[in-house]
Amino acid sequence: TTEIYTLSLHDALPISECDSPTDFSSLASVNPGIGFARIGGATAVHLRGPAAKASTLSCPRDAEYFGADFRLGAYLPMFPPAGLTNLQDAVLPTLPDGRILLDGRAWEMPTPQNLDVFIGRLERAGLLVFDPLVEELRHGGAARAVPERTAQSRFVRAVGLSRRKLQMIERARHAARLLSAGTAIADVVFGAGYYDQPHLTRSLRRLIGHTPAEVMRGGVFLDL
């Protein structure tokens, strides 16, 4: 996905549907977000955290999903990403009329067409915040006027992962994209900064759920 605006705190995700039961590899990911699952006429609202490993999930028949990834460093303070990691989603309660209960208020259930409006309302209400320190630290920069220990604590609170783990996941996802595009495994090892092919293979098995050869052959459903 791509950012809608330079300063947007979220990236809208495309609508996904399953006409038949489908298993897929849910990749390790770094962005928290919000997801909506329509199954059997009911909609469940999930607040997601990052995932430090790949998992095999199943999409039931006639299910529809939509949602948004939050910009790295954006999160709901009521639900810190560290508490939502590895599929420990917070499922928000819904009222009989279909509205969402959050922070003691009833919020209209969004649709894929007005999800950005819903998230904008969360921002204006102060329920979705952004820590700019994350951008300073994620690329190896030093935090200005903030002690290192405080900076690291803020980073983990806003992201839910350490900087090292975040870099490992981003590198594996980059490698998977290169392989999916047909780049030779040897070139991916060099281009993505792995020591050798076994290093790449171990990383992709753990974080992508497939070997480099499996990704390169195609035919595997990845949530890239």
Side-chain angles (χ1 to χ4, degrees), residues 1-45:
T1 59
T2 56
E3 284 197 11
I4 301 173
Y5 305 107
T6 304
L7 298 179
S8 174
L9 297 192
H10 73 282
D11 292 342
L13 301 176
I15 300 173
S16 299
E17 298 180 351
C18 296
D19 296 329
S20 61
T22 305
D23 290 338
F24 65 97
S25 180
S26 177
L27 280 60
S29 59
V30 300
N31 296 83
I34 188 168
F36 301 83
R38 294 174 175 170
I39 303 173
T43 302
V45 185

Side-chain angles (χ1 to χ4, degrees), residues 53-202:
K53 60 182 179 180
S55 302
T56 299
L57 301 180
S58 180
C59 180
R61 181 189 302 275
D62 296 328
E64 180 182 275
Y65 300 90
F66 66 96
D69 280 344
F70 297 149
R71 178 183 175 185
L72 203 65
Y75 66 104
L76 277 73
M78 296 171 59
F79 299 94
L84 307 174
T85 57
N86 297 325
L87 307 179
Q88 298 182 87
D89 295 4
V91 180
L92 299 182
T94 53
L95 300 173
D97 61 5
R99 291 182 297 169
I100 304 166
L101 188 61
L102 177 61
D103 192 37
R105 297 171 54 188
W107 302 73
E108 183 181 351
M109 182 72 71
T111 66
Q113 292 72 34
N114 65 10
L115 179 58
D116 57 338
V117 175
F118 173 78
I119 294 177
R121 291 177 62 201
L122 296 182
E123 293 179 40
R124 290 190 295 274
L127 300 183
L128 178 64
V129 301
F130 174 71
D131 189 342
L133 186 65
V134 170
E135 285 296 322
E136 294 183 37
L137 295 176
R138 70 177 297 197
H139 299 298
R144 293 171 290 182
V146 179
E148 178 64 18
R149 180 173 296 181
T150 300
Q152 293 296 338
S153 176
R154 279 177 55 178
F155 187 92
V156 173
R157 175 174 175 79
V159 177
L161 299 167
S162 68
R163 280 191 288 175
R164 180 174 179 274
K165 177 61 72 173
L166 181 144
Q167 290 165 355
M168 291 172 59
I169 294 171
E170 289 187 324
R171 179 171 59 177
R173 292 176 68 96
H174 174 59
R177 284 192 289 269
L178 292 175
L179 291 165
S180 295
T183 305
I185 292 177
D187 292 335
V188 173
V189 170
F190 176 78
Y194 289 94
Y195 298 125
D196 50 29
Q197 185 170 334
H199 184 206
L200 171 67
T201 299
R202 290 193 300 272

